[in-house]
Amino acid sequence: MIFLIFAIRSTHIKGAFDDDAGDKAGNQADKVHVRVQQRNGRKCITTVAGLADDLDIKRICKAFKKNFSCNGALQKDEDDGEVIQLSGDQRTNVMEFLVDQEICHKDEVVLHGF
């Protein structure tokens, strides 16, 4: 009897908003988000989040720092996993690097900011 009640409650009829929310969440999960955040004055920080877990993110951060001549750091985030922070507005450089090195496709990279 208890199992039958649990089975009935676990089957959920999806509403009009449930389908859309699930599709958007699924599409956003496999994207790489490149954002720029204003710090103070003219200073800004570029963040790269959503890289795959099987990638060596520390090595990618080191390559960013060397190729773009900027400072960078890895930050751990409970939502996005590891996030790369770079000094300056490096959005286009990051996107070109990720596509050229075949880390991800151009349609998987989302640029945010300004």
Side-chain angles (χ1 to χ4, degrees), residues 42-97:
R42 293 174 40 188
K43 309 287 184 180
C44 58
I45 295 173
T46 303
T47 59
V48 182
L51 289 170
D53 293 334
D54 60 341
L55 295 173
D56 189 3
I57 298 178
K58 187 174 182 180
R59 204 166 149 200
I60 293 172
C61 180
K62 188 174 181 180
F64 283 162
K65 290 164 51 173
K66 187 172 183 177
N67 289 333
F68 308 151
S69 300
C70 67
N71 198 7
L74 285 177
Q75 298 292 324
K76 294 196 187 274
D77 187 34
E78 60 269 357
D79 295 335
D80 297 326
E82 291 190 6
V83 177
I84 299 174
Q85 287 185 345
L86 301 170
S87 61
D89 187 3
Q90 307 292 339
R91 288 175 295 173
T92 56
N93 294 336
V94 168
M95 187 179 80
E96 290 172 2
F97 182 87

Side-chain angles (χ1 to χ4, degrees), residues 15-43:
F17 297 108
D18 291 341
D19 293 334
D20 293 340
D23 291 342
K24 288 180 184 175
N27 290 341
Q28 294 295 327
D30 55 352
K31 301 247 186 218
V32 177
H33 296 276
V34 182
R35 295 179 176 90
V36 65
Q37 298 174 349
Q38 194 73 28
R39 212 167 47 99
N40 54 0
R42 293 174 40 188
K43 309 287 184 180

